Amino acid sequence: MELLAKPDGTTLAAHTQHVRDETAHVLAARPFLIYKYAVRTGHNLLALADACARWHDEGKAHPAWQQACRQDFEQAQQTGKVQGLHLQKSGVRHEFASLVKMRNVRNEWPPKLTYVAVAAHHGKLGFRYQKRWADDPAFKPFWYEQFLPLSAELRPDRPADFDQAIARRYEYGGLRAVLRLADHRASAREAHRSAAAPAVPQLSAFRYKFPWDTQTGVQTLIPHFWDEPFALLRAPTGAGKTDAALLWARRQITTGRADRLVWAMPTRFTANALYISTTETLSSTGLYHSSAWFVVQQREQEQRGQGQPAAAWKKELDYARLLETPTTVTTIDQLCLALTATREDHHATFWNLAHACVVIDEADFYDDFTQRNMVVLLRALRLLGVPVLLMSATLPASALELYALSGLRATKIWEDLTDYERTRFRLHRAGPAEHPTDLTTLLERGLNGEPLIIYANTVGRAQAYWDWFQRPDMKYPVVLYHSRFTEPDKNEVEGRLLAMLGPKAWKSSNPTGVAILTQIGELSVNISADLMVADLCPTDRLAQRAGRLSRFRDRYDKKQQVVGELHLVTPQKTDKKGTTDFYPAPYGHYRQGQGWLSSAVLDQAGAQLTAGEYSARRLVDLVNELYPKVAEETTEIWANRRALETAVVANWLLLPKAETEQDDEETPTWKSRDIGPQKVVYASTNFSALLGEGDPVVFANSFAFREWALPHAITIPVYDFRRAQEAGKLVEVGIHISQEREIIWTVKADYYDSLHGLRFDKAPSPEDE
């Protein structure tokens, strides 16, 4: 009787051969992996990976495992369902048993390297599973004599061990990642033998076609630095940075420095926008961040008519999460998180990152807290030999000094000076304003049909502008855009903004309406107007906002030279005592009992942003004044950076006891952003259908819950959550995820709709009073 590998009847011999075939296929499709691994480690990746594939499931020959698998197979033949219940009770971890077989065979491969790959191929090489290793006398020596001593060779308190951790993680993580990928691909093919659609995504190569007839100024700069390992590029919004960066990436890949592109954006919204905009010029683009699934799923639905198989988006998302796609658009948070190795797939993400070229876009968006995380990331990329292009519209000269802390030293900040002196906009100081009625004269211009973009610093101020325009004499569309919409509604809002003030509207000479945005609209929404009202913000952020002024004039209306108008508002707020004062949120710090305290950067911006004409040169000069040197690390920032460096060393081999979940963006000890405590609530425009009625809702597993939750989830500060909770605006709901009972909070129907999102200041309906 042949040995089985799975309860569906797949034999061990067949599955082993399938994994070996997939290993060969993966490495044939990615020859750069073999080359770089040999250069950096001296090992033959193909031979080692084949050995791991050959032995990874040999432990399934264990009599107890075979007996349980045979029982599950017989049960599947009777019921038509493969459940694996007997295997769950067999008491045998087959990958552990595989190590015993490997140890008893004379071989020429390095045992520790191959042991680690085989032991980790189901994600059980970590402290959470230490008892499983220690309880069995056959497996115990591997844990205490092999893995623990190997892991302990590096210590976080020794500075030089960071470099060693990066090198060793590359060496050990390579086999680990290749084996898991080949095993997953082989298993997927086995499970879908009768399916017409491909069971696994194609391992395609990076391809980019420049879409324009000629290159612009910033694009002609690229050959001057595209052979440098680290480059900084400064170019104004709308100057063609995206295609310039893609030309740079193509150079890295065609010259054998990388085999894929990873593009790191500052926010999920900017990542979404870039993902959508580059699909026509790139061979295959993946998107990954905590809510990427919605954008990817929607794109899959649009492409289904073009032969894209249903549910392909899930496979695409899995590959993007591992940076396995030829181009992956992600956030800086996900790349930093991968360094922590707090989840098994972080080893695959790290491995694939090591073979990429990396573009870090809109680098001026980050505060000092996140910039120091970026320095750690850049240090790791330098050690891995990864080419990096870092760019933004207002990169300060002090960035050279900051990023040099990583060991990467750029020769200069490259920039296109051909349009440097042209006046981009005229700034007017509109004075202090707490309510829209303080700006009636300006807002009436939008009321009378002039296309208008408004930037508010807080959601509350943005919603107040929305309220002002809800009047009978307003004949033009008004669209509100902020972070407190659900993903489906956010997507609809972005579509309305583009239809109203996007490139197609300007090309057809029909821009119209009022767009009211918060900070998430600074980078991600490709719209334009000649008139803008904006709350005071740091000068580099204002440069991004001003990039939406007269953005398409040069492209679609070359006869008419228009200089945009920007009216800068000093936001005010009246406290409970009746005192009206400057309201700096969110540019500062909130202190209990004191309210918002303004940051020095915002105060300086308020002084330097005087009325007058502004060119790209003037904005860059002001930003250089704003950030003349690298800011000193505060105690909090230092501790967070050290937590990231500690994780890099401590977790290089063994997963920690506290593993992160798939959509997390921080660990229990480290944060990607300096954001206060947040809470997730769930909302829908169809509240009664949100969770149904009657019995508690049961989700089969955590993935099923995430699939339900993400279209409804909104993240808010804890203090807003508590106020809404105390005011009875939230409903406590009990659910079950597998066997575990959980509590979630849903938003009452009166406080959410698709036009202005989550809004707790709305008056309750009579039945709630």
Side-chain angles (χ1 to χ4, degrees):
M1 191 178 296
E2 283 196 90
L3 298 175
L4 294 180
K6 296 184 178 179
D8 65 1
T10 303
T11 66
L12 180 57
H15 176 67
T16 299
Q17 188 59 51
H18 294 160
V19 177
R20 295 179 76 177
D21 291 345
E22 281 295 335
T23 300
H25 174 70
V26 166
L27 294 179
R30 301 275 192 262
F32 183 64
L33 307 185
I34 299 174
Y35 165 76
K36 187 166 183 174
Y37 194 74
V39 169
R40 296 186 69 86
T41 71
H43 297 309
N44 183 329
L45 179 61
L46 182 58
L48 287 175
D50 182 68
C52 291
R54 160 71 180 82
W55 286 95
H56 81 291
D57 272 359
E58 276 299 301
K60 289 181 176 179
H62 191 289
W65 198 96
Q66 277 297 309
Q67 182 182 5
C69 188
R70 183 72 54 184
Q71 289 174 313
D72 285 332
F73 172 58
E74 292 169 357
Q75 188 176 62
Q77 287 185 309
Q78 295 171 3
T79 64
K81 295 180 180 180
V82 178
Q83 294 180 302
L85 297 178
H86 292 91
L87 275 176
Q88 293 175 18
K89 301 173 184 178
S90 69
V92 178
R93 283 303 319 174
H94 71 269
E95 67 269 40
F96 297 4
S98 295
L99 298 179
V100 177
K101 293 219 167 203
M102 293 173 71
R103 185 183 56 193
N104 295 333
V105 175
R106 295 187 63 182
N107 55 71
E108 297 179 357
W109 61 75
K112 289 183 181 179
L113 273 175
T114 50
Y115 286 173
V116 166
V118 171
H121 83 271
H122 281 291
K124 300 295 189 293
L125 187 58
F127 287 98
R128 179 183 290 185
Y129 311 100
Q130 181 171 347
K131 192 173 185 298
R132 297 289 298 273
W133 289 94
D135 282 352
D136 193 307
F139 308 150
K140 188 174 182 178
F142 290 97
W143 181 258
Y144 286 106
E145 298 172 18
Q146 297 276 352
F147 301 137
L148 271 182
L150 180 61
S151 174
E153 287 178 5
L154 302 182
R155 288 173 28 193
D157 60 338
R158 295 193 301 235
D161 282 7
F162 181 94
D163 294 17
Q164 284 294 313
I166 295 296
R168 288 204 188 182
R169 188 166 163 197
Y170 177 84
E171 182 179 14
Y172 283 79
L175 277 180
R176 196 167 178 163
V178 171
L179 177 60
R180 274 174 64 86
L181 179 64
D183 190 27
H184 287 172
R185 289 175 65 87
S187 296
R189 291 189 195 277
E190 290 164 355
H192 296 85
R193 279 186 284 257
S194 60
V200 294
Q202 182 180 356
L203 296 173
S204 55
F206 176 91
R207 291 192 306 276
Y208 166 66
K209 180 181 179 182
F210 187 72
W212 312 106
D213 295 331
T214 57
Q215 295 180 9
T216 64
V218 68
Q219 290 150 7
T220 60
L221 278 179
I222 297 298
H224 293 280
F225 59 79
W226 64 10
D227 290 328
E228 297 179 9
F230 178 53
L232 302 180
L233 176 63
R234 181 195 291 144
T237 302
K241 290 198 302 293
T242 299
D243 283 302
L246 289 170
L247 289 169
W248 173 86
R250 187 171 66 184
R251 173 71 174 185
Q252 309 312 307
I253 292 166
T254 56
T255 54
R257 301 186 188 105
D259 70 354
R260 69 199 74 191
L261 167 62
V262 172
W263 200 307
M265 299 297 291
T267 67
R268 291 174 294 160
F269 314 109
T270 52
N272 293 346
L274 181 67
Y275 167 75
I276 293 168
S277 67
T278 57
T279 52
E280 293 182 1
T281 56
L282 287 170
S283 51
S284 177
T285 304
L287 175 71
Y288 186 68
H289 52 69
S290 59
S291 59
W293 75 271
F294 179 77
V295 179
V296 176
Q297 182 189 37
Q298 190 158 62
R299 179 167 170 260
E300 179 266 334
Q301 290 171 348
E302 293 169 357
Q303 294 182 339
R304 197 173 296 169
Q306 305 169 26
Q308 181 88 335
W313 65 272
K314 292 183 181 179
K315 300 168 187 173
E316 179 184 331
L317 189 61
D318 283 340
Y319 273 49
R321 176 166 48 85
L322 304 177
L323 309 183
E324 196 64 66
T325 44
T327 300
T328 305
V329 180
T330 186
T331 61
I332 204 76
D333 313 76
Q334 295 298 330
L335 298 187
C336 290
L337 185 64
L339 294 182
T340 67
T342 48
R343 203 170 60 235
E344 181 59 41
D345 58 13
H346 285 166
H347 288 279
T349 303
F350 178 90
W351 166 252
N352 289 322
L353 180 62
H355 300 101
C357 56
V358 175
V359 172
I360 299 177
D361 204 353
E362 307 295 358
D364 57 356
F365 182 86
Y366 305 106
D367 61 11
D368 293 339
F369 190 93
T370 306
Q371 290 282 5
R372 293 292 177 157
N373 286 331
M374 276 177 53
V375 169
V376 178
L377 173 64
L378 289 172
R379 183 181 173 190
L381 295 178
R382 172 181 63 81
L383 293 167
L384 291 167
V386 172
V388 179
L389 172 62
L390 193 148
M391 58 188 192
S392 79
T394 55
L395 199 64
S398 59
L400 287 166
E401 181 185 353
L402 173 65
Y403 300 132
L405 296 173
S406 70
L408 285 171
R409 289 176 172 80
T411 55
K412 59 182 286 188
I413 296 178
W414 294 88
E415 58 185 330
D416 173 27
L417 303 178
T418 55
D419 202 26
Y420 214 43
E421 304 290 352
R422 177 175 66 85
T423 298
R424 301 301 180 99
F425 63 91
R426 291 188 180 90
L427 187 146
H428 307 267
R429 294 300 295 253
E434 181 174 8
H435 307 289
T437 50
D438 300 328
L439 302 167
T440 298
T441 302
L442 273 175
L443 300 184
E444 282 180 342
R445 292 172 64 177
L447 194 67
N448 294 329
E450 195 170 346
L452 168 64
I453 295 175
I454 299 173
Y455 276 103
N457 283 353
T458 66
V459 174
R461 286 179 65 83
Q463 290 171 334
Y465 281 119
W466 162 271
D467 290 342
W468 190 90
F469 282 104
Q470 303 312 299
R471 44 200 294 170
D473 54 341
M474 181 57 183
K475 300 179 176 61
Y476 305 95
V478 182
V479 176
L480 179 63
Y481 183 62
H482 55 72
S483 60
R484 296 190 187 181
F485 285 96
T486 63
E487 289 295 328
D489 290 340
K490 198 176 296 169
N491 188 66
E492 291 295 325
V493 170
E494 290 171 357
R496 293 200 297 270
L497 284 170
L498 289 172
M500 190 170 75
L501 294 172
K504 290 182 180 179
W506 281 92
K507 186 176 183 179
S508 61
S509 301
N510 191 36
T512 184
V514 177
I516 305 168
L517 318 171
T518 59
Q519 287 87 340
I520 70 166
E522 289 176 357
L523 303 173
S524 58
V525 185
N526 192 22
I527 60 173
S528 178
D530 296 330
L531 176 63
M532 181 178 291
V533 174
D535 284 348
L536 176 66
C537 60
T539 306
D540 49 337
R541 307 313 325 134
L542 189 73
Q544 290 290 351
R545 297 179 183 188
R548 272 68 191 161
L549 273 168
S550 306
R551 185 183 180 95
F552 308 125
R553 285 288 187 183
D554 290 345
R555 192 184 306 174
Y556 301 126
D557 192 6
K558 296 183 179 180
K559 295 180 181 179
Q560 187 176 3
Q561 295 295 321
V562 175
V563 176
E565 244 182 275
L566 194 158
H567 295 265
L568 193 62
V569 177
T570 305
Q572 306 285 297
K573 189 170 185 179
T574 301
D575 62 21
K576 295 178 181 179
K577 298 177 181 178
T579 303
T580 302
D581 204 352
F582 177 47
Y583 185 52
Y587 302 106
H589 296 279
Y590 183 81
R591 293 287 182 266
Q592 194 70 34
Q594 294 179 275
W596 278 92
L597 305 179
S598 179
S599 68
V601 167
L602 183 63
D603 291 340
Q604 189 174 345
Q608 67 178 191
L609 291 169
T610 57
E613 296 182 345
Y614 283 74
S615 63
R617 176 187 286 278
R618 183 175 181 185
L619 287 170
V620 169
D621 289 344
L622 290 176
V623 171
N624 283 333
E625 290 177 14
L626 199 62
Y627 307 104
K629 61 181 181 178
V630 177
E632 293 290 329
E633 271 190 305
T634 65
T635 302
E636 182 184 14
I637 293 174
W638 176 87
N640 191 69
R641 173 179 61 80
R642 282 296 299 138
L644 179 56
E645 292 169 341
T646 295
V648 169
V649 180
N651 304 335
W652 78 269
L653 182 71
L654 303 177
L655 297 175
K657 194 165 187 177
E659 297 180 30
T660 52
E661 296 295 330
Q662 184 169 300
D663 296 319
D664 287 348
E665 293 182 345
E666 58 186 43
T667 76
T669 59
W670 168 82
K671 297 195 301 183
S672 60
R673 309 283 176 120
D674 187 17
I675 299 174
Q678 304 284 299
K679 185 76 174 177
V680 176
V681 296
Y682 300 92
S684 173
T685 53
N686 184 3
F687 180 77
S688 62
L690 185 60
L691 279 167
E693 298 177 358
D695 296 335
V697 176
V698 177
F699 296 97
N701 49 47
S702 58
F703 181 83
F705 172 69
R706 284 199 302 271
E707 196 168 7
W708 171 86
L710 285 173
H712 305 295
I714 301 173
T715 303
I716 61 174
V718 165
Y719 56 79
D720 278 347
F721 170 81
R722 287 173 180 163
R723 283 200 290 256
Q725 189 183 36
E726 291 168 1
K729 298 174 182 179
L730 299 172
V731 178
E732 181 181 344
V733 178
I735 62 171
H736 286 87
I737 303 174
S738 187
Q739 303 298 318
E740 300 294 325
R741 187 175 188 275
E742 302 280 349
I743 295 295
I744 64 172
W745 292 88
T746 59
V747 179
K748 284 188 175 181
D750 286 310
Y751 304 104
Y752 183 84
D753 66 48
S754 60
L755 294 179
H756 40 56
L758 182 65
R759 187 162 187 181
F760 287 132
D761 66 342
K762 289 178 64 177
S765 59
E767 58 268 26
D768 286 335
E769 291 179 347

